[in-house]
């Protein structure tokens, strides 16, 4: 496994980091507890020492499963990445901004973005309990909250670092202007953003800024939630309550299928899966510290970890990039 230093911190993350969104089950058509735990253990056993989760994933379930999976393991050899700022239990008492309605057991649950000081402190204590640990390696704001001053959020994160409850603080889904404002109070260690072959908007402004200011980028949705695996063009079916039923409609699926047909011979030649090829390309792009790869069972986790070993030549990258220009 390849490890990279995260921004201005002493944290070193595996270039492939375990993404624990799907194991929460919510929005993903459910989950299997034992498979979820096995996926985490397999990641750890194959050098993927970092696990990225969040309270919102499964309304606490993802964090609980992560805590159960790492029980008895050497905590210092594991990097736990979690988040704050999405409130679904009403504890925000009308503060923050409405985000969307989530669903659980057929009921709509309003979710709010809220990054006020008291909420951050509350969420961290709850996350520490679910994760069964006394510190979080990287705590990240899940989504921007326009109703709370960025300065207040950053000052609270600075307090938590001094208290030892978190080792480093980052953000998610921030644009360049928001990063600049945050840095006036506390330089974020990282920005977790959506990035994939089908979504490269960050390359224009955000990546140059983070490179110049020693801020790491953690890329999420590199597989576009499984679309780039190709299996949905080969008869794969989604459950009715899987959010990807609607998510995939944003893409020109004919062009995505053409891209996959270009990538598949490269993957076959290298004796790797299409997913492994896509993950490796993503990890080799400028400014990317780590790539989040979700896994719902041990085999997927193992394959994700092995993607870090895929060798892509300059010619391979040129072929891939020319195919991407046609999207």
């Amino acid at each position: 496994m390849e490890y990279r230093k995260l921004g201005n911190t002493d944290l070193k993350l595996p270039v492939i980091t375990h993404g624990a969104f799907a194991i929460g089950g919510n929005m993903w058509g459910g989950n299997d507890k034992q498979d979820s735990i096995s996926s985490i253990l397999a990641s750890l056993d194959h050098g993927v020492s970092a696990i990225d989760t969040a309270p919102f994933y499964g309304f606490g379930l993802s964090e609980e499963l992560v805590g159960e999976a790492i029980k008895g393991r050497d905590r210092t050899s594991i990097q736990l990445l979690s988040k704050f700022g999405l409130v679904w239990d009403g504890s925000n008492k009308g503060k923050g901004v409405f985000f969307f309605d989530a669903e659980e057991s057929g009921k709509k649950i309003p979710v709010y973005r809220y990054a006020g000081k008291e909420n951050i402190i509350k969420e961290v204590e709850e996350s520490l309990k679910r994760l069964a640990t006394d510190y979080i390696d990287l705590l990240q704001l899940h989504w921007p909250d326009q109703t709370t001053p960025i300065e207040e959020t950053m000052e609270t994160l600075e307090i938590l670092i001094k208290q030892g409850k978190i080792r480093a603080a980052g953000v998610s889904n921030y644009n360049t202007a928001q990063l600049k404002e945050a840095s006036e109070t506390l330089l974020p260690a990282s920005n977790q953003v959506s990035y994939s072959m089908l979504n490269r908007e960050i390359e224009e402004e955000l990546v140059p800024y983070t490179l110049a200011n020693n801020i790491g980028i953690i890329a999420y949705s590199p597989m576009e939630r499984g679309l780039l695996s190709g299996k949905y063009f080969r008869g794969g079916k989604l459950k009715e309550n899987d959010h990807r039923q609607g998510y995939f409609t944003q893409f020109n699926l004919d062009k995505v299928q053409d891209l996959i047909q270009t990538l598949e011979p490269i993957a076959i030649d290298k004796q790797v899966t299409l997913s492994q090829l896509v993950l490796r390309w993503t990890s080799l792009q400028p400014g990317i510290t780590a790539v989040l790869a979700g896994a719902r069972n041990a085999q997927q986790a193992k394959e994700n970890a092995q993607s870090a070993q895929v060798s892509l030549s300059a010619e391979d990258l040129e072929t891939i990039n020319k195919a991407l220009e046609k999207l």
Side-chain angles (χ1 to χ4, degrees), residues 12 18 20 31 58 67 109 115 181 192 204 229 238 264 291 307:
K12 288 188 176 180
H18 184 106
N31 77 319
I109 300 176
E181 185 175 346
Q192 185 175 138
E204 184 175 348
S229 71
L238 299 172
E264 282 181 329
V291 176
S307 68

Side-chain angles (χ1 to χ4, degrees), residues 38-316:
S38 295
S39 73
I40 296 169
L41 295 177
S43 287
L44 295 173
D45 289 342
H46 288 85
V48 178
S49 59
I51 306 165
D52 180 87
T53 182
F56 174 70
Y57 300 161
F59 303 118
L61 178 59
S62 176
E63 285 188 325
E64 290 174 357
L65 291 174
V66 171
E68 186 172 342
I70 68 172
K71 186 177 181 180
R73 294 257 175 166
D74 177 10
R75 178 66 180 85
T76 61
S77 67
I78 300 170
Q79 297 86 48
L80 293 181
L81 286 53
S82 197
K83 306 179 186 74
F84 68 91
L86 291 188
V87 182
W88 69 88
D89 61 1
S91 62
N92 56 313
K93 299 178 181 178
K95 297 180 180 179
V97 60
F98 176 75
F99 191 15
F100 71 104
D101 282 320
E103 286 193 16
E104 184 178 37
S105 302
K107 296 180 179 179
K108 287 187 177 181
I109 300 176
V111 179
Y112 288 79
R113 299 182 188 179
Y114 181 46
K117 179 178 180 180
E118 70 276 13
N119 181 64
I120 299 172
I121 293 171
K122 171 184 175 292
E123 285 202 56
V124 167
E125 293 301 327
E126 292 171 345
S127 289
L128 290 172
K129 184 176 181 180
R130 286 191 289 258
L131 291 166
T133 187
D134 56 4
Y135 70 96
I136 294 168
D137 294 275
L138 176 68
L139 183 69
Q140 307 155 94
L141 170 63
H142 207 148
W143 281 89
D145 164 26
Q146 296 87 344
T147 68
T148 301
I150 289 177
E151 181 181 10
E152 177 182 335
T153 302
M154 294 300 113
E155 286 178 345
T156 307
L157 291 171
E158 194 168 28
I159 290 171
L160 290 169
I161 291 174
K162 291 178 179 177
Q163 291 176 340
K165 293 185 177 180
I166 67 175
R167 291 182 61 193
V171 295
S172 300
N173 303 299
Y174 258 29
N175 59 34
T176 304
Q178 290 165 330
L179 275 181
K180 289 178 180 178
E181 185 175 346
S183 299
E184 293 175 2
T185 304
L186 176 68
L187 180 66
S190 56
N191 189 14
Q192 185 175 138
V193 291
S194 177
Y195 180 64
S196 74
M197 289 181 168
L198 307 182
N199 176 17
R200 302 173 66 183
E201 293 180 6
I202 67 169
E203 294 178 359
E204 184 175 348
E205 182 179 3
L206 187 64
V207 169
Y209 179 81
T210 57
L211 285 171
N213 291 276
N214 198 19
I215 299 172
I217 289 183
I218 299 173
Y220 72 80
S221 293
M223 298 299 304
E224 289 299 353
R225 309 188 188 192
L227 181 61
L228 287 171
S229 71
K231 67 180 181 180
Y232 298 108
F233 296 105
R234 297 191 293 269
K237 294 183 178 180
L238 299 172
K239 293 183 179 179
E240 186 176 342
N241 60 340
D242 192 315
H243 76 288
R244 291 175 292 179
Q245 293 275 11
Y247 183 84
F248 290 165
T249 62
Q250 68 182 290
F251 303 107
N252 184 322
L253 296 181
D254 288 336
K255 288 188 175 182
V256 174
Q257 190 166 16
D258 288 343
L259 172 63
I260 287 172
Q261 290 174 349
T262 299
L263 298 178
E264 282 181 329
I266 301 174
I268 292 171
D269 180 64
K270 295 185 177 298
Q271 298 183 319
V272 300
T273 67
L274 184 59
S275 296
Q276 288 174 323
L277 179 69
V278 172
L279 288 174
R280 187 52 174 160
W281 176 90
T282 310
S283 74
L284 291 173
Q285 301 312 298
I288 304 300
T289 303
V291 176
L292 298 186
R296 303 183 72 164
N297 57 56
Q299 182 59 31
Q300 288 178 358
K302 179 181 177 181
E303 290 180 1
N304 289 344
Q306 291 173 335
S307 68
Q309 302 168 11
V310 176
S311 177
L312 292 179
S313 66
E315 183 179 356
D316 294 327

